[in-house]
Amino acid sequence: AGRLFLQPHTGATVIRKATLQDTGAILALARASFVVVEKDDVALSLSIKEGNVDVAEDEGRVVGYVESFLPPGRPAYLLNELAVARNARGLGWGRKLAERGLERAEGRRVRLFVSHDNEIAKGLYVSLGFEEIGRAQGGLVLMERNAK
């Protein structure tokens, strides 16, 4: 009688620094995820060059990204944008990307804005230690996580 051996998953699933080659995929994710996309390819390219953008890659395909940085003159690190492709949601990519942004904050206080009606994202951020601290224009909720 033969035995059935399962082959290990060989596809690369990683969180890595974004490269300029990722620009098109990141902009497509942003356009699919946000009502207003303030970034263009020039602004995104600059942010990538500055090392502020990480991507989630599954078998060679960008399935999510996070942009995070310390704004000049501000005391809190900013988790600026986080998006995951619709067909890759629910697989833990959002959490992994948020955790990467938090690692980059190096223990600083972190702030983010999230849509007031995005309950899934708000739940993720609360589970990572964020609390709502205010409201902003356009139905955005300001959340903060204290320094760790």
Side-chain angles (χ1 to χ4, degrees):
R3 290 189 174 173
L4 175 65
F5 290 97
L6 296 177
Q7 293 295 321
H9 178 70
T10 57
T13 56
V14 296
I15 304 289
R16 63 169 173 78
K17 285 272 183 227
T19 67
L20 292 176
Q21 288 77 20
D22 299 318
T23 302
I26 293 168
L27 286 173
L29 281 169
R31 290 183 186 114
S33 301
F34 303 114
V35 175
V36 176
V37 177
E38 296 178 359
K39 247 184 212 34
D40 59 17
D41 58 345
V42 174
L44 177 59
S45 295
L46 180 60
S47 192
I48 289 171
K49 287 179 184 177
E50 291 175 350
N52 297 333
V53 184
D54 294 288
V55 295
E57 181 179 86
D58 187 18
E59 298 184 2
R61 189 173 59 94
V62 172
V63 296
Y65 77 95
V66 62
E67 180 186 42
S68 55
F69 55 90
L70 182 62
R74 299 292 175 110
Y77 204 77
L78 182 64
L79 197 62
N80 192 47
E81 288 181 9
L82 190 155
V84 175
R86 290 197 192 289
N87 62 355
R89 292 181 184 165
L91 302 174
W93 289 115
R95 177 173 296 281
K96 290 175 185 171
L97 287 164
E99 287 171 347
R100 174 58 65 94
L102 293 173
E103 286 171 18
R104 290 170 40 80
E106 298 177 338
R108 293 180 188 93
R109 185 171 40 142
V110 180
R111 287 186 172 176
L112 61 84
F113 292 94
V114 63
S115 179
H116 71 91
D117 59 355
N118 191 340
E119 296 302 326
I120 292 172
K122 287 193 303 188
L124 169 64
Y125 297 135
V126 166
S127 77
L128 291 169
F130 284 87
E131 296 179 356
E132 181 176 331
I133 62 166
R135 297 276 173 146
Q137 287 181 291
L140 294 176
V141 174
L142 174 60
M143 299 183 83
E144 181 176 271
R145 179 176 130 153
N146 288 326
K148 298 283 178 185

